[in-house]
Amino acid sequence: MFSPIVVADDDAVGRELVSRVLEKAGHPTVTAPDGERAWALIQQVKPPLAVLDWDMPHLTGIDVLRRVKLTVDRTPPYVILLTSRTEVRDRVRGLSVGADDYLTKPFEPAELVARVEVGLRVVQLQRSLAARVTELEDALAHVNRLEQLLPICARCK
């Protein structure tokens, strides 16, 4: 149904922990050790969801998030920032830049899984809505073609 979830963290233990928690809950993952590789995976895999650490080499989680939000796509990935930054100003900044959710480390595995599942439900709704919009655009194009034929048919009787 869904592509794998991208998990990016420069800390190998943290990355592996998040990946195992999600895979145990039935969510396949692909992992990245830095922001640059995370961005490449997001472009390649087109995941429904990404879990990004804030502080990573090459590109930060915020940098990756900005790139995701600049990409024109009807169903961009749902992005969860999972970081050791616990200050309110950091949470506000992360969410203001475009994160869909924000969790701090250390995290509770059950909460991470619950938030991922909420994110996947949101993505499913977005995809369903995007499919309906496409159907409506196709129907409108068909109506416009028919309207162009009406004057021709009126003359022919």
Side-chain angles (χ1 to χ4, degrees), residues 55-138:
D55 296 306
M56 296 185 288
H58 307 298
L59 292 172
T60 68
I62 293 294
D63 294 332
V64 174
L65 178 58
R66 283 187 178 118
R67 288 181 179 197
V68 165
K69 296 306 174 179
L70 288 174
T71 303
V72 179
D73 191 352
R74 281 197 178 161
T75 56
Y78 190 93
V79 177
I80 299 174
L81 283 177
L82 177 60
T83 179
S84 57
R85 292 181 178 231
T86 60
E87 297 291 323
V88 171
R89 71 174 181 262
D90 292 324
R91 282 187 234 135
V92 169
R93 181 171 173 220
L95 293 168
S96 296
V97 169
D100 297 295
D101 205 346
Y102 192 104
L103 279 171
T104 58
K105 297 175 186 177
F107 66 93
E108 176 61 42
E111 182 180 14
L112 174 63
V113 170
R115 289 177 184 244
V116 163
E117 290 176 356
V118 166
L120 292 174
R121 285 195 305 267
V122 168
V123 168
Q124 184 60 43
L125 289 170
Q126 286 175 325
R127 288 180 176 181
S128 177
L129 181 59
R132 292 293 291 158
V133 166
T134 299
E135 288 174 19
L136 290 171
E137 288 172 345
D138 291 345

Side-chain angles (χ1 to χ4, degrees), residues 28-46:
T29 64
V30 292
T31 62
D34 59 56
E36 193 171 283
R37 181 71 182 130
W39 175 239
L41 281 173
I42 288 170
Q43 291 176 298
Q44 178 185 22
V45 175
K46 306 262 188 245

